[in-house]
Amino acid sequence: MKKALPVGVDNFEKLISGGYYYVDKTMFIKELLDLKGEVNLFTRPRRFGKTLNLSMLRYFFEDTGDAGKNEQNKELFRGMKIMDAGDGYTDQMGKYPVINLTLKSAKQEDFETAYYMIQAELASEFERHREIVERGKQSLAVKEYEQYISIADEKADQKLVRGSIKLFSQCMRKITGNNTVVLIDEYDVPLENAYFRGFYEEMVGFIRALFESALKTNDYLQFAVITGCLRISKESIFTGLNHLNIISVLDKKYSEHFGFTGQEVIRMMSYYEVGSRFSTMKEWYDGYLFGDTEVYNPWSVIKFLFDLYSDIEAFPRPYWINTSSNDIVKDMIARADRETKGQIEKLLNRGTLDIQVHEEVTYDDMGSSGENLWNFLYFTGYLTKESEYFKESAIFLRARIPNTEVKTIYQTTILNLFRETVKKEDFRDLYRAMEDGDAKKMRDILNGQLFPTISFYDSAENFYHGFLTGILSQSQNYLVKSNRESGNGRSDIMVKSPSLRGKAFVLEVKVSDSIDDLEDDAEKALRQIQEKKYMEELRTEGYRKIGCYGISFFRKDCEVQFEAGQ
């Protein structure tokens, strides 16, 4: 019986004890100890294993205060790579107090609720160590003990909560004699959420104060590992942290510890006996370059493996779209000017974009310049590095869309925004032109809609079909039937009056290879309607007033030709 795939399992103890398949990332511990960074910020896209890696660090380093529990934690690592690294590393097991804090729950509608969720997370960690504090409270000052308990009971005011991690470290040092390992996961989630929700400054102030006390003025800190998507420093989140070690997707250090390498994916697929689908796995979920290491999206790999194990012929899907915040992409597309739209189209058509790297960005920067926008997309996983070069004392990237999954996210976002825009438009002139057989007027209106729209030409038929269906579906007087999705060999689109006495139309769509082919292809579309007798379905239903439209597209241009039904 095969091990279960850890879909959504990001607790290390649960994953190992539960018998799930685990891709061994324990050499992350060795590299962390070798490089001796005191405060380490790892920036990686969402769902690339950050939470699981922090959980692994917790179970490796934590002294739980219970000898039996410490031994159980050591057993979790039996047979893993770190256990063969030498006594210098294994001697660190179960040695330190650990506070493991996640900020992802702070994605809330207002500051008060977001703050409460962070306070609750801190209280949970304080409660987890409460037994240690109760046993060792004689080592603490009365005020320290009272403050600790008030945080654990969620009764502390915001001023005390801001200094809570430092207080935790101070208490643990007095009780255990050891400094604290601080683990903070998804530190930028509250900031991203606050930016889009409108309470950014309040959240920045709180996070800054929490971090300063925990990381800057904390004499009881052994080391800290922080994870997020972005390095946010202009707001002074990390002011004065001269010991801050930032490891982004550009760094060669730690590059193989977040995400799956090609060999790891091959081994997984072999274990589950689905290796025949490797080319699809690679096309959809590979393509990220962290440092010089090529990696796959681990969340999507696991999800696709889960589907493949049940059905070897399963279709790939954009699993990441439902887990990662796509507000950045949506906002970018909604506000894109003509130049930006052209750059997006270039990327969607397998092109590259040269951008100067700015690792220190803010959410406010996102709309200030195209360069900052592309940096956001790069560091959050919507673009990846094809190559890099040094020019005029600056690092430049040649960036591209990583894989089919991410490309699908762009396309879906574009089409959804297009549909939202179309709902606000008045297309009565288009419907009137269609009713009158005025092909020229239809062409002019459609061309006007194509011009500001972001197109993706290498999947052009689906794009243009969706474009045309979306516009026609706004009519209150007609029913629109799309046959493309059913794959039944019928015409592309049928537009019908609810009354059989009214008009009905058959539309066939072609995509031209060049602008010179537009007229010929529109004529071919009309001939296809006649030759394949697409009107018969409408006649059988009882319609007698039938019009036929052949429509061809090439990039931002279209041609429309009309013929009355025979």
Side-chain angles (χ1 to χ4, degrees):
M1 187 173 179
K2 303 291 187 185
K3 291 184 176 182
L5 282 156
V7 178
V9 181
D10 53 18
N11 177 280
F12 183 76
E13 191 274 337
K14 180 179 179 180
L15 191 149
I16 302 302
S17 298
Y20 292 94
Y21 188 102
Y22 177 61
V23 176
D24 191 340
K25 297 292 184 181
T26 58
M27 293 305 279
F28 176 39
I29 298 166
K30 180 180 184 300
E31 194 162 357
L32 197 61
L33 292 171
D34 285 344
L35 295 177
K36 301 184 185 301
E38 188 172 355
V39 180
N40 307 275
L41 171 61
F42 290 90
T43 59
R44 292 293 188 276
R46 305 269 183 246
R47 291 290 190 176
F48 268 73
K50 300 187 295 294
T51 301
L52 179 57
N53 273 349
L54 288 198
S55 180
M56 175 187 69
L57 295 181
R58 172 196 153 188
Y59 283 99
F60 185 87
F61 286 107
E62 185 167 56
D63 178 2
T64 66
D66 182 324
K69 182 60 177 174
N70 285 350
E71 284 302 314
Q72 290 176 22
N73 286 350
K74 289 181 181 180
E75 279 297 306
L76 298 175
F77 293 87
R78 180 187 291 274
M80 294 188 184
K81 295 175 183 177
I82 189 63
M83 302 307 288
D84 296 325
D87 293 344
Y89 304 99
T90 55
D91 286 349
Q92 299 293 306
M93 296 182 78
K95 188 173 179 180
Y96 305 101
V98 175
I99 184 167
N100 186 15
L101 184 68
T102 178
L103 302 188
K104 64 179 68 176
S105 62
K107 191 172 184 178
Q108 302 295 330
E109 64 275 8
D110 53 51
F111 175 75
E112 289 72 22
T113 310
Y115 167 76
Y116 171 76
M117 296 305 294
I118 296 174
Q119 181 187 31
E121 289 287 345
L122 283 161
S124 176
E125 279 297 280
F126 273 59
E127 182 64 32
R128 191 167 69 83
H129 294 80
R130 190 170 193 147
E131 189 174 334
I132 295 174
V133 171
E134 294 291 355
R135 288 200 308 262
K137 66 180 180 181
Q138 66 277 5
S139 302
L140 305 178
V142 172
K143 185 177 181 180
E144 289 172 331
Y145 174 76
E146 290 176 346
Q147 289 178 334
Y148 188 100
I149 297 303
S150 70
I151 294 172
D153 291 342
E154 297 184 34
K155 295 178 179 178
D157 60 22
Q158 189 178 135
K159 183 177 179 181
L160 183 54
V161 171
R162 288 177 178 221
S164 57
I165 297 177
K166 181 177 181 180
L167 174 68
F168 177 94
S169 306
Q170 182 175 321
C171 292
M172 290 299 153
R173 172 66 179 273
K174 287 188 173 183
I175 293 170
T176 70
N178 290 316
N179 287 342
T180 292
V181 172
V182 175
L183 307 175
I184 302 175
D185 190 29
E186 305 284 18
Y187 90 94
D188 56 338
V189 165
L191 300 169
E192 178 188 345
N193 175 70
Y195 174 78
F196 286 107
R197 297 279 191 174
F199 54 94
Y200 192 51
E201 293 303 320
E202 285 180 284
M203 184 56 71
V204 165
F206 173 68
I207 296 295
R208 180 195 300 124
L210 183 70
F211 280 22
E212 281 183 353
S213 66
L215 307 173
K216 181 181 176 182
T217 61
N218 189 353
D219 294 331
Y220 313 102
L221 175 70
Q222 182 66 23
F223 67 84
V225 177
I226 310 162
T227 71
C229 281
L230 299 168
R231 175 187 176 183
I232 302 172
S233 59
K234 280 188 181 177
E235 296 94 337
S236 304
I237 298 296
F238 299 112
T239 295
L241 288 182
N242 298 323
H243 55 339
L244 178 65
N245 182 29
I246 302 167
I247 307 98
S248 77
V249 293
L250 287 170
D251 286 275
K252 296 178 182 178
K253 302 183 295 294
Y254 301 98
S255 57
E256 72 275 19
H257 302 312
F258 297 87
F260 295 156
T261 66
Q263 286 302 311
E264 288 168 343
V265 172
I266 289 171
R267 282 196 292 270
M268 291 178 76
M269 297 190 77
S270 176
Y271 176 79
Y272 291 102
E273 301 176 358
V274 294
S276 61
R277 299 299 305 279
F278 177 72
S279 60
T280 303
M281 180 76 80
K282 185 174 179 62
E283 175 192 345
W284 273 75
Y285 310 117
D286 188 16
Y288 297 91
L289 199 62
F290 294 171
D292 290 334
T293 303
E294 188 175 333
V295 298
Y296 289 66
N297 182 324
W299 169 259
S300 299
V301 167
I302 290 171
K303 290 284 285 182
F304 190 39
L305 277 173
F306 184 84
D307 289 346
L308 287 176
Y309 192 55
S310 301
D311 175 14
I312 190 66
E313 301 300 328
F315 295 117
R317 290 185 285 164
Y319 304 103
W320 199 51
I321 195 172
N322 295 320
T323 63
S324 179
S325 171
N326 296 304
D327 289 338
I328 292 174
V329 173
K330 183 177 180 180
D331 192 64
M332 169 200 70
I333 293 170
R335 297 194 297 175
D337 57 20
R338 187 181 301 177
E339 180 183 5
T340 303
K341 287 177 180 177
Q343 291 168 320
I344 296 170
E345 288 179 351
K346 182 180 179 182
L347 290 167
L348 286 168
N349 287 283
R350 298 189 175 92
T352 60
L353 194 65
D354 283 27
I355 58 174
Q356 183 177 344
V357 175
H358 298 291
E359 292 193 67
E360 300 180 15
V361 290
T362 71
Y363 289 97
D364 282 333
D365 288 334
M366 190 170 63
S368 64
S369 73
E371 205 164 73
N372 285 328
L373 173 63
W374 302 121
N375 273 271
F376 261 84
L377 294 173
Y378 171 65
F379 286 108
T380 52
Y382 293 97
L383 293 175
T384 193
K385 176 182 71 175
E386 183 167 286
S387 60
E388 62 182 294
Y389 56 93
F390 196 70
K391 178 183 176 182
E392 298 176 355
S393 303
I395 299 173
F396 285 80
L397 299 179
R398 187 151 291 141
R400 59 174 172 80
I401 294 175
N403 51 44
T404 300
E405 178 180 45
V406 178
K407 185 175 184 179
T408 301
I409 292 172
Y410 279 97
Q411 293 174 341
T412 301
T413 305
I414 290 167
L415 287 175
N416 287 341
L417 282 170
F418 171 71
R419 292 187 186 105
E420 291 174 13
T421 303
V422 161
K423 289 177 183 178
K424 303 171 186 176
E425 296 272 348
D426 184 348
F427 288 107
R428 280 178 290 187
D429 287 348
L430 176 69
Y431 309 138
R432 192 174 299 114
M434 182 176 66
E435 292 168 348
D436 294 343
D438 191 342
K440 182 178 182 300
K441 179 84 173 205
M442 282 188 68
R443 180 195 67 192
D444 292 344
I445 294 172
L446 292 175
N447 278 335
Q449 289 295 318
L450 278 170
F451 185 70
T453 303
I454 298 172
S455 309
F456 27 98
Y457 303 115
D458 67 342
S459 53
E461 288 197 25
N462 285 335
F463 169 73
Y464 291 122
H465 185 271
F467 166 81
L468 195 56
T469 304
I471 289 176
L472 293 172
S473 296
Q474 298 309 303
S475 173
Q476 301 296 315
N477 300 320
Y478 288 96
L479 305 172
V480 178
K481 180 180 180 182
S482 170
N483 290 319
R484 179 176 293 274
E485 286 78 11
S486 64
N488 56 15
R490 299 178 183 176
S491 63
D492 283 333
I493 302 170
M494 287 186 179
V495 181
K496 303 183 291 185
S497 167
S499 170
L500 294 175
R501 292 192 180 96
K503 293 183 178 181
F505 303 93
V506 179
L507 293 85
E508 184 64 24
V509 177
K510 297 288 184 187
V511 177
S512 299
D513 293 329
S514 74
I515 195 166
D516 296 329
D517 297 329
L518 279 173
E519 291 187 10
D520 287 344
D521 287 337
E523 289 178 7
K524 288 178 184 176
L526 276 178
R527 287 200 302 271
Q528 183 173 323
I529 293 172
Q530 298 294 342
E531 291 168 0
K532 294 187 178 290
K533 300 180 179 180
Y534 289 155
M535 289 180 290
E536 289 304 310
E537 180 180 341
L538 293 171
R539 289 197 179 104
T540 301
E541 290 182 38
Y543 289 98
R544 294 296 175 260
K545 300 174 184 178
I546 303 173
C548 304
Y549 282 97
I551 305 177
S552 58
F553 293 93
F554 177 75
R555 297 189 181 273
K556 300 288 187 181
D557 289 281
C558 77
E559 177 63 33
V560 181
Q561 299 208 9
F562 171 77
E563 189 175 90
Q566 301 298 319

